[in-house]
Amino acid sequence: MVEDAIHGGRPAPLALMVRATDEPGSLHTLTRVIFEHGANITYVDIAERREDSSTIYFELEEHPTVDAEVLIGDIQALSIVRSVEQAPSFAKVYGKRIIVVGGGAQVGQVVVGAVAEADRHNIRGERISVDTIPLVGEENLAAAARAVARLPRAVALVLAGAMMGGDVARAVYEVREKGIIVLSLNMPGSVTKAADLVVSDPVQCGVMAVMAVAESARFDINRQRGRHY
Amino acid sequence: MVEDAIHGGRPAPLALMVRATDEPGSLHTLTRVIFEHGANITYVDIAERREDSSTIYFELEEHPTVDAEVLIGDIQALSIVRSVEQAPSFAKVYGKRIIVVGGGAQVGQVVVGAVAEADRHNIRGERISVDTIPLVGEENLAAAARAVARLPRAVALVLAGAMMGGDVARAVYEVREKGIIVLSLNMPGSVTKAADLVVSDPVQCGVMAVMAVAESARFDINRQRGRHY
C-alpha cells in the first residue's frame, strides 16, 4: 500500500519538464501528444508560473512502445512549447512524505525525531521526507488532515497538538480509509481514539512515524494499531 | 515574486478532485472539457493511484465566463469519470513551502526554529509550511536542491549540513535564478558563497527563512543578501 502510493510498484518513470505558454488549452495540447505516443501519465504538476509561461512537470509510465526521444521531439515541435528537459522523478528525489500538523512547539519536536530517523533510513537507500505545517483551530487542522489524502506521495500523518477532536477526528477516519497511517501525540480530544497509534513523547512519535513507513524497519503498524505509548 | 509562486496574485482558484479511469488519454479527455469551458488550469496533480483509477486534482483560474456547476456537470458526464468533488486549494491549506535539506541533526534544529516562527505568522492568517529531507552525498543534495525549483509552492531552500560545495553550490545558483531564496548554515564548502544569506545558529536560520518569505514580517532579503550571522 505504501509502495503503491509512490509509483504503484511500476518501473521508474520518464520525467519531463516542459516550459509552455500559459493559456487555456496548453495542457490539453501537451496531453494530446503524450496520448498519441500511448504513454500513461502517472504524475503531473505545474511547478512554476511566470507572466506568460509555465513549467509543467510530467512523469510517464515506462512502456516498451514509448520512444522517449521521439516523444520529446514531438513535444518540442509544438508552437506553445519553449523547452523540454528530462529530470529525475520526485519519487526518486523526495520519496514518501510524512506530514506533521499541529502546534509549533510539538510539531518542532516531532520533526526532530522524524528527521533523525529518516536520515538513518535514507542512508540505507530509502527516500523519506518530513513535511510540516503549524496551524491553529479545528477547521484549519481538519482541512490540513483531509488534504493529506490528496498530497502526492503522502503516506502518514502525525497530529502534534495539545487538544484535537471533533471534525479533526472525522478527518482522521477519512484519510485512514484512503490508506494514510495516522499517529497522534497523547492529548485531550477524540483524535487519540481515531488514530492508528498514540505516542506521548513527541520525539519518539516522530521516530515511530518513520519506522511505520520505512521499508528498512521491522515495525508493523498492524501489530501496533490502537496502542498507546 | 514570492506571491507569484503561489497563485500569481490571481483570485482564489476553483479546486476540483476528479476520480477517473487510469489509462492513457484520461488526462487528455478531462483537459478537453476544461478547455471547452475556457478555463485556465493553474495547478494539476495526480494525488492517488489505485489499481484501475486515479484521483486528479485541478485548480482553475476563476473567470467570469466559467460556470463552475456546468463545468462540474460536464466532467461528471464523461464515461471515464467516477466522481467529482470541490476541495479547498492547496495554496489555501498549505501555502508557501520552505524546503530544508541536509544532515538529520541540523535539519531537525532548523525546523524547530522555522516551525515556531511559521506558527506565529500562520496565526495571523498566513500559510507557511516547512518541508524537509535528510540526505547524504553531493549528488543527492544537488538533486534535491535543483528539484526545489519545480516543487509546487516552494519559495525558499535552507541548506542544513556540515559541508556542502561543488555541484550543490551550482544547484544553488540555478534555483536562485528561478526565484528561490536560499539560506545556508555556516559550514565548510562553497555553498556559503552561493547562498543569499548565511546563519550560524540552526534555530535562528530556520526563523530567518520564514521571516524572508512571510508577508507579515519586516525582513527584506534584498537588504541581507551576502551577509553572515
Side-chain angles (χ1 to χ4, degrees):
Chain A
M1 164 109 30
V2 159
E3 257 307 302
D4 277 358
I6 298 193
H7 47 87
R10 294 158 174 118
L14 172 68
L16 299 177
M17 285 178 74
V18 182
R19 174 159 283 279
T21 311
D22 185 9
E23 61 185 26
S26 289
L27 189 60
H28 185 57
T29 305
L30 292 170
T31 55
R32 175 176 56 73
V33 176
I34 293 167
F35 175 55
E36 283 168 0
H37 279 260
N40 194 21
I41 299 167
T42 53
Y43 181 73
V44 58
D45 73 48
I46 298 181
E48 196 193 1
R49 298 187 70 212
R50 294 197 183 169
E51 279 296 296
D52 57 349
S53 71
S54 55
T55 301
I56 302 155
Y57 170 74
F58 292 101
E59 293 183 5
L60 309 176
E61 207 160 50
E62 267 199 20
H63 198 277
T65 65
V66 178
D67 182 326
E69 272 183 50
V70 180
L71 173 59
I72 291 170
D74 287 354
I75 293 173
Q76 205 127 38
L78 292 168
S79 64
I80 56 163
V81 170
R82 303 195 188 170
S83 66
V84 185
E85 273 176 61
Q86 260 191 278
S89 78
F90 279 135
K92 206 176 142 199
V93 176
Y94 286 104
K96 301 170 189 171
R97 299 166 71 185
I98 296 170
I99 316 293
V100 187
V101 301
Q106 297 98 320
V107 169
Q109 294 309 305
V110 169
V111 175
V112 167
V115 165
E117 182 68 11
D119 207 12
R120 303 170 81 211
H121 293 281
N122 291 350
I123 284 170
R124 285 178 281 176
E126 293 204 51
R127 280 290 174 275
I128 300 171
S129 304
V130 185
D131 296 351
T132 76
I133 185 165
L135 285 172
V136 168
E138 183 176 336
E139 194 190 332
N140 290 331
L141 287 163
R146 285 196 173 93
V148 170
R150 56 192 168 90
L151 277 178
R153 300 173 286 106
V155 292
L157 166 66
V158 182
L159 299 165
M163 186 169 73
M164 294 186 195
D167 198 37
V168 186
R170 280 190 290 278
V172 168
Y173 288 117
E174 287 170 32
V175 298
R176 283 184 58 190
E177 276 293 307
K178 294 180 180 174
I180 303 291
I181 296 168
V182 182
L183 285 85
S184 173
L185 296 185
N186 203 1
M187 67 174 100
S190 50
V191 291
T192 53
K193 286 192 188 68
D196 287 287
L197 178 61
V198 177
V199 184
S200 300
D201 176 73
V203 174
Q204 182 78 310
C205 187
V207 170
M208 285 198 192
V210 172
M211 288 166 66
V213 306
E215 300 291 307
S216 43
R218 286 194 194 174
F219 182 94
D220 184 354
I221 188 72
N222 296 312
R223 302 180 75 167
Q224 299 296 333
R225 205 151 266 144
R227 302 243 180 139
H228 285 230
Y229 290 95
Chain B
M1 164 103 35
V2 160
E3 257 308 301
D4 277 358
I6 297 193
H7 46 86
R10 294 155 175 119
L14 172 67
L16 299 177
M17 285 178 74
V18 182
R19 175 159 282 280
T21 311
D22 186 7
E23 61 183 27
S26 289
L27 189 60
H28 186 57
T29 306
L30 292 170
T31 54
R32 175 175 56 75
V33 176
I34 293 167
F35 175 55
E36 283 168 359
H37 279 261
N40 194 20
I41 299 167
T42 52
Y43 181 73
V44 60
D45 73 48
I46 297 181
E48 197 193 358
R49 297 187 71 212
R50 294 195 184 170
E51 279 297 296
D52 57 348
S53 71
S54 55
T55 301
I56 301 154
Y57 171 74
F58 291 103
E59 293 184 4
L60 308 176
E61 205 160 53
E62 266 197 21
H63 198 277
T65 65
V66 178
D67 183 325
E69 273 184 50
V70 180
L71 173 59
I72 291 170
D74 287 353
I75 294 174
Q76 206 127 37
L78 292 168
S79 64
I80 56 162
V81 170
R82 303 195 187 168
S83 66
V84 185
E85 273 177 60
Q86 260 191 279
S89 78
F90 279 134
K92 206 176 143 197
V93 175
Y94 286 104
K96 299 169 192 172
R97 300 167 70 185
I98 295 169
I99 317 293
V100 187
V101 302
Q106 298 99 319
V107 169
Q109 294 310 306
V110 169
V111 175
V112 167
V115 164
E117 181 67 11
D119 207 11
R120 304 169 81 211
H121 294 281
N122 291 351
I123 284 169
R124 286 179 280 177
E126 293 204 50
R127 281 291 174 274
I128 299 170
S129 304
V130 184
D131 297 352
T132 76
I133 185 163
L135 285 172
V136 168
E138 183 175 337
E139 195 191 332
N140 290 330
L141 287 163
R146 285 196 175 91
V148 170
R150 56 193 168 90
L151 276 178
R153 299 174 288 106
V155 293
L157 166 66
V158 182
L159 298 165
M163 185 169 72
M164 295 187 196
D167 198 36
V168 186
R170 280 190 291 278
V172 168
Y173 288 116
E174 287 170 32
V175 299
R176 283 185 57 189
E177 276 293 307
K178 293 181 180 175
I180 303 291
I181 296 169
V182 182
L183 284 84
S184 172
L185 295 185
N186 203 1
M187 66 175 99
S190 50
V191 290
T192 54
K193 285 191 190 69
D196 287 288
L197 179 61
V198 176
V199 184
S200 301
D201 176 73
V203 174
Q204 182 78 312
C205 187
V207 170
M208 284 198 192
V210 172
M211 287 166 67
V213 306
E215 299 291 307
S216 44
R218 286 194 194 172
F219 182 94
D220 183 353
I221 188 71
N222 296 311
R223 301 180 75 169
Q224 300 296 332
R225 204 151 267 142
R227 300 244 181 139
H228 285 231
Y229 290 97

